[in-house]
mmCIF file of all heavy atoms in Angstrom:
data_model
loop_
_atom_site.group_PDB
_atom_site.id
_atom_site.type_symbol
_atom_site.label_atom_id
_atom_site.label_comp_id
_atom_site.label_asym_id
_atom_site.label_seq_id
_atom_site.Cartn_x
_atom_site.Cartn_y
_atom_site.Cartn_z
ATOM 1 N N THR A 694 -48.689 -22.380 -56.547
ATOM 2 C CA THR A 694 -48.539 -23.587 -55.898
ATOM 3 C C THR A 694 -47.752 -23.271 -54.528
ATOM 4 O O THR A 694 -46.842 -22.476 -54.497
ATOM 5 C CB THR A 694 -47.604 -24.557 -56.712
ATOM 6 O OG1 THR A 694 -46.342 -24.026 -56.811
ATOM 7 C CG2 THR A 694 -48.323 -24.925 -57.994
ATOM 8 N N VAL A 695 -48.302 -23.983 -53.514
ATOM 9 C CA VAL A 695 -47.843 -23.714 -52.082
ATOM 10 C C VAL A 695 -47.621 -24.953 -51.349
ATOM 11 O O VAL A 695 -48.497 -25.828 -51.528
ATOM 12 C CB VAL A 695 -48.806 -22.771 -51.302
ATOM 13 C CG1 VAL A 695 -48.135 -22.272 -50.066
ATOM 14 C CG2 VAL A 695 -49.267 -21.606 -52.099
ATOM 15 N N ARG A 696 -46.600 -25.096 -50.584
ATOM 16 C CA ARG A 696 -46.341 -26.271 -49.708
ATOM 17 C C ARG A 696 -46.356 -25.704 -48.267
ATOM 18 O O ARG A 696 -45.576 -24.774 -48.037
ATOM 19 C CB ARG A 696 -45.057 -26.887 -49.967
ATOM 20 C CG ARG A 696 -44.924 -28.217 -49.208
ATOM 21 C CD ARG A 696 -43.749 -29.080 -49.663
ATOM 22 N NE ARG A 696 -42.541 -28.380 -49.220
ATOM 23 C CZ ARG A 696 -41.603 -27.984 -50.173
ATOM 24 N NH1 ARG A 696 -41.836 -28.163 -51.459
ATOM 25 N NH2 ARG A 696 -40.534 -27.454 -49.776
ATOM 26 N N ILE A 697 -47.092 -26.241 -47.443
ATOM 27 C CA ILE A 697 -47.260 -25.839 -46.010
ATOM 28 C C ILE A 697 -46.948 -27.043 -45.218
ATOM 29 O O ILE A 697 -47.491 -28.016 -45.203
ATOM 30 C CB ILE A 697 -48.660 -25.337 -45.733
ATOM 31 C CG1 ILE A 697 -49.008 -24.125 -46.668
ATOM 32 C CG2 ILE A 697 -48.763 -24.774 -44.297
ATOM 33 C CD1 ILE A 697 -50.471 -23.727 -46.574
ATOM 34 N N GLY A 698 -45.969 -26.766 -44.265
ATOM 35 C CA GLY A 698 -45.511 -27.867 -43.316
ATOM 36 C C GLY A 698 -46.558 -28.191 -42.126
ATOM 37 O O GLY A 698 -47.572 -27.433 -41.993
ATOM 38 N N VAL A 699 -46.406 -29.320 -41.454
ATOM 39 C CA VAL A 699 -47.233 -29.671 -40.474
ATOM 40 C C VAL A 699 -47.370 -28.617 -39.381
ATOM 41 O O VAL A 699 -48.295 -28.624 -38.493
ATOM 42 C CB VAL A 699 -46.986 -30.961 -39.916
ATOM 43 C CG1 VAL A 699 -47.092 -32.135 -40.901
ATOM 44 C CG2 VAL A 699 -45.445 -31.087 -39.340
ATOM 45 N N ASP A 700 -46.448 -27.684 -39.225
ATOM 46 C CA ASP A 700 -46.359 -26.615 -38.234
ATOM 47 C C ASP A 700 -47.144 -25.420 -38.818
ATOM 48 O O ASP A 700 -47.140 -24.346 -38.098
ATOM 49 C CB ASP A 700 -44.982 -26.256 -37.753
ATOM 50 C CG ASP A 700 -44.116 -25.846 -39.056
ATOM 51 O OD1 ASP A 700 -44.529 -25.934 -40.162
ATOM 52 O OD2 ASP A 700 -42.877 -25.473 -38.826
ATOM 53 N N GLY A 701 -47.660 -25.549 -39.928
ATOM 54 C CA GLY A 701 -48.492 -24.366 -40.490
ATOM 55 C C GLY A 701 -47.698 -23.261 -41.054
ATOM 56 O O GLY A 701 -48.099 -22.100 -41.423
ATOM 57 N N VAL A 702 -46.373 -23.579 -41.362
ATOM 58 C CA VAL A 702 -45.421 -22.617 -41.954
ATOM 59 C C VAL A 702 -45.247 -22.807 -43.591
ATOM 60 O O VAL A 702 -45.223 -23.965 -43.862
ATOM 61 C CB VAL A 702 -44.115 -22.588 -41.225
ATOM 62 C CG1 VAL A 702 -43.035 -21.726 -41.985
ATOM 63 C CG2 VAL A 702 -44.197 -22.120 -39.838
ATOM 64 N N VAL A 703 -45.377 -21.714 -44.252
ATOM 65 C CA VAL A 703 -45.051 -21.846 -45.756
ATOM 66 C C VAL A 703 -43.719 -22.289 -45.933
ATOM 67 O O VAL A 703 -42.760 -21.696 -45.754
ATOM 68 C CB VAL A 703 -45.444 -20.605 -46.337
ATOM 69 C CG1 VAL A 703 -45.233 -20.619 -47.901
ATOM 70 C CG2 VAL A 703 -46.946 -20.285 -46.101
ATOM 71 N N GLU A 704 -43.473 -23.539 -46.615
ATOM 72 C CA GLU A 704 -42.260 -23.899 -46.898
ATOM 73 C C GLU A 704 -41.773 -23.556 -48.377
ATOM 74 O O GLU A 704 -40.662 -23.406 -48.535
ATOM 75 C CB GLU A 704 -42.277 -25.452 -46.836
ATOM 76 C CG GLU A 704 -42.510 -26.017 -45.421
ATOM 77 C CD GLU A 704 -42.521 -27.491 -45.325
ATOM 78 O OE1 GLU A 704 -42.629 -28.143 -46.424
ATOM 79 O OE2 GLU A 704 -42.460 -28.049 -44.282
ATOM 80 N N ALA A 705 -42.730 -23.410 -49.284
ATOM 81 C CA ALA A 705 -42.384 -23.103 -50.707
ATOM 82 C C ALA A 705 -43.705 -22.330 -51.206
ATOM 83 O O ALA A 705 -44.819 -22.764 -51.014
ATOM 84 C CB ALA A 705 -42.006 -24.263 -51.454
ATOM 85 N N LEU A 706 -43.439 -21.455 -52.054
ATOM 86 C CA LEU A 706 -44.538 -20.680 -52.731
ATOM 87 C C LEU A 706 -44.028 -20.235 -54.139
ATOM 88 O O LEU A 706 -42.944 -19.593 -54.185
ATOM 89 C CB LEU A 706 -45.001 -19.685 -51.943
ATOM 90 C CG LEU A 706 -46.332 -18.891 -52.271
ATOM 91 C CD1 LEU A 706 -46.913 -18.178 -51.090
ATOM 92 C CD2 LEU A 706 -46.168 -18.008 -53.466
ATOM 93 N N ALA A 707 -44.758 -20.600 -55.100
ATOM 94 C CA ALA A 707 -44.407 -20.128 -56.479
ATOM 95 C C ALA A 707 -45.690 -19.518 -57.118
ATOM 96 O O ALA A 707 -46.731 -20.106 -57.051
ATOM 97 C CB ALA A 707 -43.918 -21.368 -57.413
ATOM 98 N N GLY A 708 -45.387 -18.412 -57.845
ATOM 99 C CA GLY A 708 -46.520 -17.595 -58.553
ATOM 100 C C GLY A 708 -46.105 -17.282 -59.858
ATOM 101 O O GLY A 708 -45.106 -17.690 -60.518
ATOM 102 N N PRO A 709 -46.794 -16.319 -60.396
ATOM 103 C CA PRO A 709 -46.532 -15.875 -61.775
ATOM 104 C C PRO A 709 -45.140 -15.112 -61.894
ATOM 105 O O PRO A 709 -44.634 -14.648 -60.810
ATOM 106 C CB PRO A 709 -47.626 -14.778 -62.068
ATOM 107 C CG PRO A 709 -48.647 -15.076 -61.037
ATOM 108 C CD PRO A 709 -47.922 -15.680 -59.827
ATOM 109 N N GLU A 710 -44.493 -15.109 -63.046
ATOM 110 C CA GLU A 710 -43.277 -14.457 -63.309
ATOM 111 C C GLU A 710 -43.546 -12.974 -63.057
ATOM 112 O O GLU A 710 -44.467 -12.329 -63.440
ATOM 113 C CB GLU A 710 -42.884 -14.690 -64.743
ATOM 114 C CG GLU A 710 -41.500 -14.046 -65.072
ATOM 115 C CD GLU A 710 -41.018 -14.395 -66.466
ATOM 116 O OE1 GLU A 710 -41.740 -15.332 -67.055
ATOM 117 O OE2 GLU A 710 -40.004 -13.825 -66.853
ATOM 118 N N GLY A 711 -42.600 -12.302 -62.404
ATOM 119 C CA GLY A 711 -42.631 -10.838 -62.151
ATOM 120 C C GLY A 711 -43.156 -10.472 -60.815
ATOM 121 O O GLY A 711 -43.245 -9.272 -60.508
ATOM 122 N N VAL A 712 -43.761 -11.469 -60.065
ATOM 123 C CA VAL A 712 -44.268 -11.241 -58.768
ATOM 124 C C VAL A 712 -43.455 -11.999 -57.649
ATOM 125 O O VAL A 712 -43.456 -13.240 -57.678
ATOM 126 C CB VAL A 712 -45.769 -11.682 -58.636
ATOM 127 C CG1 VAL A 712 -46.352 -11.416 -57.200
ATOM 128 C CG2 VAL A 712 -46.535 -10.942 -59.725
ATOM 129 N N ASP A 713 -42.646 -11.299 -56.934
ATOM 130 C CA ASP A 713 -41.711 -11.983 -56.004
ATOM 131 C C ASP A 713 -42.391 -12.326 -54.781
ATOM 132 O O ASP A 713 -42.778 -11.401 -54.026
ATOM 133 C CB ASP A 713 -40.626 -10.993 -55.760
ATOM 134 C CG ASP A 713 -39.504 -11.601 -54.825
ATOM 135 O OD1 ASP A 713 -39.601 -12.699 -54.556
ATOM 136 O OD2 ASP A 713 -38.501 -10.851 -54.410
ATOM 137 N N LEU A 714 -42.585 -13.649 -54.525
ATOM 138 C CA LEU A 714 -43.161 -14.102 -53.256
ATOM 139 C C LEU A 714 -42.393 -14.772 -52.361
ATOM 140 O O LEU A 714 -42.759 -15.421 -51.357
ATOM 141 C CB LEU A 714 -44.316 -15.044 -53.798
ATOM 142 C CG LEU A 714 -45.379 -14.537 -54.731
ATOM 143 C CD1 LEU A 714 -46.363 -15.623 -55.177
ATOM 144 C CD2 LEU A 714 -46.129 -13.329 -54.208
ATOM 145 N N THR A 715 -41.086 -14.667 -52.651
ATOM 146 C CA THR A 715 -40.101 -15.426 -51.675
ATOM 147 C C THR A 715 -40.190 -14.923 -50.375
ATOM 148 O O THR A 715 -39.859 -15.732 -49.433
ATOM 149 C CB THR A 715 -38.703 -15.251 -52.300
ATOM 150 O OG1 THR A 715 -38.338 -13.868 -52.349
ATOM 151 C CG2 THR A 715 -38.585 -15.920 -53.726
ATOM 152 N N GLY A 716 -40.513 -13.764 -50.162
ATOM 153 C CA GLY A 716 -40.672 -13.245 -48.784
ATOM 154 C C GLY A 716 -41.714 -13.815 -47.954
ATOM 155 O O GLY A 716 -41.716 -13.650 -46.722
ATOM 156 N N LEU A 717 -42.680 -14.551 -48.543
ATOM 157 C CA LEU A 717 -43.669 -15.238 -47.837
ATOM 158 C C LEU A 717 -43.324 -16.616 -47.390
ATOM 159 O O LEU A 717 -43.926 -17.214 -46.456
ATOM 160 C CB LEU A 717 -44.924 -15.336 -48.698
ATOM 161 C CG LEU A 717 -45.722 -14.066 -49.136
ATOM 162 C CD1 LEU A 717 -46.755 -14.321 -50.064
ATOM 163 C CD2 LEU A 717 -46.102 -13.226 -47.942
ATOM 164 N N GLU A 718 -42.188 -17.169 -47.917
ATOM 165 C CA GLU A 718 -41.665 -18.493 -47.513
ATOM 166 C C GLU A 718 -41.118 -18.309 -46.055
ATOM 167 O O GLU A 718 -40.444 -17.334 -45.660
ATOM 168 C CB GLU A 718 -40.685 -18.965 -48.439
ATOM 169 C CG GLU A 718 -41.217 -19.200 -49.832
ATOM 170 C CD GLU A 718 -40.217 -19.673 -50.734
ATOM 171 O OE1 GLU A 718 -38.919 -19.717 -50.389
ATOM 172 O OE2 GLU A 718 -40.457 -20.038 -51.889
ATOM 173 N N GLY A 719 -41.605 -19.264 -45.161
ATOM 174 C CA GLY A 719 -41.135 -19.090 -43.716
ATOM 175 C C GLY A 719 -42.250 -18.469 -42.977
ATOM 176 O O GLY A 719 -42.073 -18.358 -41.658
ATOM 177 N N ALA A 720 -43.165 -17.937 -43.530
ATOM 178 C CA ALA A 720 -44.243 -17.237 -42.730
ATOM 179 C C ALA A 720 -45.393 -18.139 -42.348
ATOM 180 O O ALA A 720 -45.678 -19.087 -43.126
ATOM 181 C CB ALA A 720 -44.818 -16.055 -43.670
ATOM 182 N N PRO A 721 -45.882 -18.015 -41.143
ATOM 183 C CA PRO A 721 -47.042 -18.807 -40.699
ATOM 184 C C PRO A 721 -48.249 -18.475 -41.610
ATOM 185 O O PRO A 721 -48.575 -17.244 -41.786
ATOM 186 C CB PRO A 721 -47.178 -18.494 -39.208
ATOM 187 C CG PRO A 721 -46.664 -17.122 -39.146
ATOM 188 C CD PRO A 721 -45.487 -17.005 -40.136
ATOM 189 N N ILE A 722 -49.066 -19.479 -42.003
ATOM 190 C CA ILE A 722 -50.275 -19.253 -42.813
ATOM 191 C C ILE A 722 -51.338 -18.689 -41.946
ATOM 192 O O ILE A 722 -52.313 -18.069 -42.483
ATOM 193 C CB ILE A 722 -50.682 -20.526 -43.535
ATOM 194 C CG1 ILE A 722 -51.629 -20.247 -44.664
ATOM 195 C CG2 ILE A 722 -51.249 -21.557 -42.499
ATOM 196 C CD1 ILE A 722 -51.144 -19.466 -45.782
ATOM 197 N N ALA A 723 -51.407 -18.856 -40.613
ATOM 198 C CA ALA A 723 -52.518 -18.483 -39.777
ATOM 199 C C ALA A 723 -52.507 -17.182 -39.187
ATOM 200 O O ALA A 723 -53.363 -16.756 -38.609
ATOM 201 C CB ALA A 723 -52.739 -19.557 -38.705
ATOM 202 N N SER A 724 -51.291 -16.522 -39.252
ATOM 203 C CA SER A 724 -51.145 -15.274 -38.474
ATOM 204 C C SER A 724 -50.373 -14.269 -39.368
ATOM 205 O O SER A 724 -49.149 -14.508 -39.583
ATOM 206 C CB SER A 724 -50.464 -15.459 -37.112
ATOM 207 O OG SER A 724 -50.226 -14.245 -36.472
ATOM 208 N N GLY A 725 -50.988 -13.233 -39.858
ATOM 209 C CA GLY A 725 -50.367 -12.088 -40.410
ATOM 210 C C GLY A 725 -50.012 -12.364 -41.880
ATOM 211 O O GLY A 725 -49.306 -11.601 -42.533
#
């Protein structure tokens, strides 16, 4: 589950247990 702001930045991201995705929060979805 992912929430993306109107500015195209990832606001929240949750995935399976054991896979740390917190480093993707705050990242732009369109670049890198």
Side-chain angles (χ1 to χ4, degrees):
T694 57
V695 189
R696 186 174 70 246
I697 302 171
V699 295
D700 57 356
V702 171
V703 175
E704 296 179 344
L706 194 158
E710 183 178 354
V712 181
D713 184 2
L714 302 177
T715 56
L717 296 175
E718 295 179 356
I722 193 66
S724 176

